Amino acid sequence: MRTVHTKLWNHRSSWPFEYPVKVDEVPDYYRVVKDPMDLTSILERIDSYSSEEDFVSDVELMIFNSYDYNEVRQTGVVIIVLGEDNSHID
């Protein structure tokens, strides 16, 4: 899981997902997104995930929150990393 997280973090398009959304920068975000998720929060939880599926669920939540808030489908970071052979996830 750490390998996938690192790939996500290092992807050139990941910058909007690195930290929690700041209310002073996006005042209505938390009215739209009720269960926020970001890469920092995922990293903080990484040792407590009971399965790879739980990790993937949080990554998907992060992406779907972006879809919901922005009403677009342009985020490809997860597709690129999760589309690879990740059978060696650690």
Side-chain angles (χ1 to χ4, degrees):
M1 287 183 276
R2 287 185 185 277
T3 301
V4 172
H5 184 275
T6 299
K7 287 182 179 184
L8 288 169
W9 187 279
N10 290 333
H11 192 277
R12 62 183 167 83
S13 298
S14 71
W15 63 268
F17 303 101
E18 290 174 355
Y19 301 99
V21 172
K22 295 179 182 177
V23 150
D24 59 325
E25 292 177 8
V26 190
D28 65 338
Y29 184 78
Y30 293 98
R31 281 191 294 254
V32 175
V33 175
K34 301 302 181 194
D35 192 9
M37 187 54 60
D38 58 87
L39 291 171
T40 296
S41 299
I42 291 171
L43 184 59
E44 289 170 355
R45 298 176 179 194
I46 207 154
D47 291 325
S48 64
Y49 288 117
S50 59
S51 68
E52 292 172 2
E53 290 79 17
D54 292 341
F55 169 78
V56 170
S57 290
D58 273 354
V59 172
E60 289 176 336
L61 174 62
M62 178 182 71
I63 298 302
F64 294 144
N65 284 345
S66 171
Y67 294 166
D68 290 344
Y69 183 77
N70 296 298
E71 297 180 9
V72 294
R73 303 283 175 171
Q74 63 186 6
T75 306
V77 176
V78 174
I79 294 166
I80 290 167
V81 174
L82 297 180
E84 298 175 3
D85 176 15
N86 290 313
S87 57
H88 60 284
I89 293 176
D90 53 10

